[in-house]
Amino acid sequence: MHNFIQDLRYGVRMLLQSPGFTAAAVVCLALGIGATTAIFSIVYAVLLKPLPYSQPDRLARIYTEFPMFPNGGLRRFWTSPPEFLDLRKYTHSWQTLDAWVTGGSNLAGGNEPSRVTASFVSGGLLDALGVQPLRGRLLTPHDDENGAPLTAVISYGLWQRAFGGDATAVGKEVHLDGQKCSVVGIMPKGFEFPPGEVEKPELWTPLQLNPASPGGRGSHYLYLLGRLKPGVSLEQSRQEMAQLVDHWGATSSERNHSFSTKNHPLVLFPFQDEVVGGVRLAMLTLLSAVVFVLLIACVNVANLLLARAEARQREIAIRKALGADLGRLVLQFVTEGVLLSLAGAVFGVVLAAGGLYLITATNAGSIPRASEISLNWSVLLFALGLSFATGIAFGLAPLAQIISKDVHNTLKAAAARTTASVGSNRFRRVLVAGELAMALVLLIGTGLMIRAFWNLQQVNIGVDARNVLTMRVALPSTVYPENEGVVRFWTNVVQRVGSLPGVTSASFVSGLPPNRRVNATDTSIEGFVRRPGGPMQNIDYYQTAGANYFQTMGIRLVEGRFFDERDGLGAPLTVVVNQTLARIYWPGESAIGHRVKPGQQGEWRTVVGVAADVKNAGIDKPTGTELYLPYRQNAGFGLRNAHIVLRTQGDPQGMASAVRREVAGVDSSLPISSVHTMGDVVLASQSQPRFLAVLLSMFAGVALVLAAVGLYGVIAYSVAQRTGEFGIRMAMGAAPSDVLGMVVGQGLKLGLIGIAVGAVGALALTRLMRGLLFGVSSFDPLTFLAMAFVLCAVMLIATYVPARRATKVDPMVALRYE
């Protein structure tokens, strides 16, 4: 213990005597450990941490699929109520099998009416998760019986916001979409289901399917969650499902949407994989990037310690001559390395905490389970263990160059002030070339992401998002049971909002681009003949739109006309289609005058116009077929849940309060939600690639600076060691430009080696990013060349400064110094 305390004091004293070295090493370690800890915290919370439910590894998602649909088929599709009831009845792998659908509901009875995101769940779903309520009880199968009194369980956040945390909220009667509803439970803080949603559900209410009349088999809208029985594996359940689907497909009649192995199979996946699968590649990319940053930081510190070791050869030789054994030397250097690493870890954890705060604050919903991200004990232990490991490694690194030398020769060399050994210099240059190579890999990956994000920015989404305000309003069917009342409400709202000063046009629409939930609705196309491998009579997206919708959103008319006063009640039924639909179903001819039958029921409607394509499946996805219905001729298809859209002369956000007043003037009981400018809606759809591009840019910037510092350090140290050589050369007639070229050439040689190795590494690693890149190849030569040029420019700057110093050497002073 005495020796340890002595080494500790000596280590602190030595580090304080070299403040420049200590500060540089601590900053490098803090950047590396801080960035690594922050990203590891995110990866742990999102990918590695089990879902906060009982035995989450036994939970699985069940989907239906339609592989034969065009464009790769409909994958991970919803299940219809009759299919869900069949699976409950005939499968035996599941301890519980439940369904849910997420939507919006108007809640009245709290502090004020509000629009909440709600999950309509089968009665046993919340109980299957194994999470107990904070107050009250969970929903039960009895609550889920058709015709049972309506009940609801609310989230902790909704309890605080809508009920002020009142303990008597349990048992309180509220109105949910105009229906009386009793609050029976409050979930604990942090509970989420389904997890990973951008709009997190705040209320859970029974689905209340009617087994006697569940609806059509083609009405797919339910998500399924199963809990496996003890002793049953997911693969066994897959086999059971496959056997059932094969049996149903072989014995069923020729009816639409019956299960079959080829046309309509079932697929199963672990629940956690489904929650985080969409960001797994992005998270692993960030983790790989931050590992490079950590390695570059470690290389820099190793170089610093190696340079310092050269300066301490005489000290160590004297200690060996005085009898210090190898163990004492090892312990001393390890102590100094651990002190450095612990200091770096402390500052690194501070940086990680600040970084996590910024990441979660600016994430904007692009990461599932973001609310679970924190610096927990396991991550802190990881940072501490990492700091000790790096400290020991760095502490031993100098000894590798010293302990093998003879004490007498070392003392003579130190007294003569000779330069560092060839092996030591070569090793340091290899380290620098390695960190330059890693920096180039990061730069190329960042360049590809930035180019992909730029390409996303340039995509024409089909609307003019400038000066457009959007907000959501839902009409409860209990308050507006008839279509006449619905039409009257929207007519009054549009007239009142459209007459506001500063509003140039106003309308509404059932679904807001550019990201919408696919409808995939069977639709009869007059005269359609199915061809092998060709399109099916199924439309991706249905829209119900008000008058002036196309003009308000700035959607271009391609052919025919948009909706107008001719398309009212009692008039011939009409539709407008998008370019993709017209091109697929009527190639080479005009779509005007052709007829379609929405939902394969009701009456035929005539196409009166073709609208320019508007992105509906996402900015980075091909536009799906879309069919627009005039609201006054339509009794369904989303009329009771729509987005008001208005175009203004100035800042649209300033019109929000005025629009709220006008809507309240028509019906004061209706809450307004999702108030956003259209520009913000478009930005939100790009949140994940933007988030990844920003973080990668930060890491690449740090890596570039660290690599430049490492290169500068090596060249500067070389210049200092070769002072005598430069003096002799200049005394013999060498010009300053010759010395300058020699030093810069040395740096460029290291840089070119790093670029060559980094380019090869980038070719191997960036192919893993292909799923994240939009409109750019993972082997894009322009990006590779541009990033190599950036690295070359930084290398020139890093080598030029010490090279200029070499040209200032006075030959007489240098020779006298030797």
Side-chain angles (χ1 to χ4, degrees), residues 454-722:
W454 172 259
N455 290 339
L456 274 180
Q457 298 284 87
Q458 307 312 305
V459 171
N460 179 13
I461 66 171
V463 303
D464 181 2
R466 296 170 298 178
N467 298 333
V468 174
L469 183 68
T470 72
M471 57 187 67
R472 195 168 186 171
V473 178
L475 311 181
S477 58
T478 54
V479 181
Y480 293 86
E482 303 295 334
N483 191 48
E484 289 78 6
V486 174
V487 171
R488 187 165 50 251
F489 171 84
W490 291 117
T491 301
N492 291 338
V493 165
V494 169
Q495 287 177 350
R496 295 179 67 137
V497 172
S499 63
L500 287 171
V503 174
T504 57
S505 64
S507 187
F508 65 94
V509 69
S510 55
L512 200 64
N515 282 323
R516 294 182 50 210
R517 172 172 167 164
V518 67
N519 302 119
T521 305
D522 290 332
T523 305
S524 295
I525 311 292
E526 188 177 37
F528 176 81
V529 178
R530 177 75 192 276
R531 300 184 306 275
M536 304 174 66
Q537 295 189 78
N538 189 281
I539 304 302
D540 296 324
Y541 297 93
Y542 272 34
Q543 284 276 44
T544 299
N548 296 323
Y549 167 71
F550 300 97
Q551 295 86 339
T552 302
M553 294 292 284
I555 300 173
R556 183 172 56 88
L557 178 65
V558 175
E559 185 182 11
R561 65 176 179 86
F562 289 140
F563 302 136
D564 56 31
E565 296 303 319
R566 288 171 282 181
D567 306 304
L569 290 173
L573 300 180
T574 59
V575 294
V576 170
V577 300
N578 72 344
Q579 286 175 286
T580 297
L581 190 153
R583 183 178 63 253
I584 289 175
Y585 291 102
W586 305 291
E589 59 179 303
S590 172
I592 305 301
H594 286 280
R595 298 200 303 170
V596 300
K597 187 184 292 184
Q600 295 184 328
Q601 298 174 356
E603 302 179 62
W604 290 98
R605 294 171 177 261
T606 302
V607 177
V608 297
V610 177
D613 280 344
V614 174
K615 287 292 184 180
N616 41 34
I619 296 179
D620 59 336
K621 302 291 192 306
T623 303
T625 55
E626 192 158 22
L627 185 148
Y628 297 89
L629 301 158
Y631 84 102
R632 290 187 296 172
Q633 294 184 344
N634 197 36
F637 299 109
L639 278 174
R640 289 177 173 80
N641 191 348
H643 298 264
I644 296 174
V645 294
L646 59 142
R647 182 171 294 277
T648 65
Q649 294 174 344
D651 179 19
Q653 196 67 56
M655 300 297 300
S657 298
V659 176
R660 288 180 184 273
R661 288 195 300 270
E662 295 304 324
V663 174
V666 179
D667 188 339
S668 60
S669 68
L670 297 177
I672 292 178
S673 62
S674 303
V675 180
H676 305 291
T677 66
M678 193 61 201
D680 289 339
V681 172
V682 174
L683 284 175
S685 68
Q686 304 167 342
S687 59
Q688 190 174 122
R690 180 174 60 251
F691 171 77
L692 189 58
V694 169
L695 276 189
L696 281 178
S697 298
M698 291 172 56
F699 294 152
V702 171
L704 189 61
V705 170
L706 289 176
V709 169
L711 180 61
Y712 172 85
V714 165
I715 301 302
Y717 181 75
S718 175
V719 167
Q721 293 291 324
R722 297 171 66 185

Side-chain angles (χ1 to χ4, degrees), residues 57-191:
D57 58 310
R58 305 200 63 77
L59 295 173
R61 287 286 298 271
I62 302 102
Y63 301 94
T64 61
E65 290 192 342
F66 292 94
M68 304 306 293
F69 268 54
N71 302 319
L74 297 176
R75 304 292 179 177
R76 286 175 163 82
F77 204 63
W78 300 282
T79 306
S80 67
E83 292 171 339
F84 164 57
L85 295 175
D86 281 351
L87 292 175
R88 263 193 167 181
K89 182 177 180 180
Y90 294 108
T91 56
H92 305 286
S93 302
W94 307 105
Q95 183 175 336
T96 60
L97 183 60
D98 291 285
W100 85 90
V101 60
T102 299
S105 291
N106 293 343
L107 177 67
N111 294 336
E112 60 181 24
S114 60
R115 181 72 176 172
V116 298
T117 302
S119 270
F120 302 86
V121 301
S122 53
L125 191 148
L126 294 181
D127 186 56
L129 298 175
V131 180
Q132 296 303 310
L134 180 67
R135 294 177 180 271
R137 65 173 177 86
L138 299 174
L139 299 176
T140 66
H142 176 72
D143 295 310
D144 197 30
E145 293 177 0
N146 186 48
L150 192 60
T151 55
V153 171
I154 62 175
S155 70
Y156 182 90
L158 183 60
W159 178 44
Q160 295 294 317
R161 189 180 75 251
F163 299 93
D166 186 357
T168 63
V170 174
K172 188 171 184 177
E173 187 175 272
V174 296
H175 284 81
L176 194 65
D177 290 329
Q179 292 182 277
K180 290 183 179 180
C181 176
S182 296
V183 176
V184 297
I186 300 168
M187 297 307 290
K189 188 175 183 179
F191 174 80

Side-chain angles (χ1 to χ4, degrees), residues 396-408:
L396 294 177
L399 291 179
Q401 302 295 320
I402 297 171
I403 59 177
S404 62
K405 295 181 180 179
D406 178 76
V407 172
H408 178 69

Side-chain angles (χ1 to χ4, degrees), residues 75-353:
R75 304 292 179 177
R76 286 175 163 82
F77 204 63
W78 300 282
T79 306
S80 67
E83 292 171 339
F84 164 57
L85 295 175
D86 281 351
L87 292 175
R88 263 193 167 181
K89 182 177 180 180
Y90 294 108
T91 56
H92 305 286
S93 302
W94 307 105
Q95 183 175 336
T96 60
L97 183 60
D98 291 285
W100 85 90
V101 60
T102 299
S105 291
N106 293 343
L107 177 67
N111 294 336
E112 60 181 24
S114 60
R115 181 72 176 172
V116 298
T117 302
S119 270
F120 302 86
V121 301
S122 53
L125 191 148
L126 294 181
D127 186 56
L129 298 175
V131 180
Q132 296 303 310
L134 180 67
R135 294 177 180 271
R137 65 173 177 86
L138 299 174
L139 299 176
T140 66
H142 176 72
D143 295 310
D144 197 30
E145 293 177 0
N146 186 48
L150 192 60
T151 55
V153 171
I154 62 175
S155 70
Y156 182 90
L158 183 60
W159 178 44
Q160 295 294 317
R161 189 180 75 251
F163 299 93
D166 186 357
T168 63
V170 174
K172 188 171 184 177
E173 187 175 272
V174 296
H175 284 81
L176 194 65
D177 290 329
Q179 292 182 277
K180 290 183 179 180
C181 176
S182 296
V183 176
V184 297
I186 300 168
M187 297 307 290
K189 188 175 183 179
F191 174 80
E192 290 183 21
F193 185 87
E197 299 291 316
V198 175
E199 296 184 358
K200 297 176 175 57
E202 299 178 289
L203 181 146
W204 298 267
T205 192
L207 195 56
Q208 292 193 349
L209 293 176
N210 183 359
S213 180
R217 297 188 70 85
S219 181
H220 295 83
Y221 63 89
L222 294 177
Y223 294 105
L224 300 190
L225 179 71
R227 176 175 287 280
L228 291 164
K229 287 181 178 179
V232 177
S233 68
L234 189 63
E235 188 55 39
Q236 289 174 316
S237 183
R238 283 196 179 106
Q239 292 174 4
E240 182 195 31
M241 292 284 199
Q243 291 171 359
L244 282 172
V245 167
D246 186 58
H247 171 73
W248 283 329
T251 59
S252 64
S253 60
E254 289 295 327
R255 58 177 180 170
N256 198 24
H257 295 301
S258 60
F259 285 121
S260 71
T261 303
K262 180 180 179 181
N263 297 317
H264 192 26
L266 288 162
V267 292
L268 290 73
F269 301 97
F271 189 32
Q272 179 146 350
D273 289 353
E274 291 304 284
V275 172
V276 302
V279 297
R280 184 182 302 278
L281 180 57
M283 292 292 101
L284 294 179
T285 299
L286 284 179
L287 189 59
S288 301
V290 81
V291 166
F292 278 163
V293 172
L294 179 62
L295 289 175
I296 292 172
C298 293
V299 167
N300 263 358
V301 175
N303 261 324
L304 287 170
L305 284 167
L306 286 172
R308 190 164 181 258
E310 294 292 343
R312 296 179 67 182
Q313 288 186 58
R314 180 178 176 82
E315 171 206 337
I316 296 172
I318 291 174
R319 294 186 67 181
K320 288 179 68 177
L322 292 175
D325 59 18
L326 178 61
R328 292 290 292 125
L329 290 175
V330 168
L331 184 60
Q332 177 60 56
F333 274 84
V334 167
T335 301
E336 291 183 26
V338 169
L339 283 173
L340 272 179
S341 298
L342 284 176
V346 170
F347 288 106
V349 170
V350 173
L351 286 176

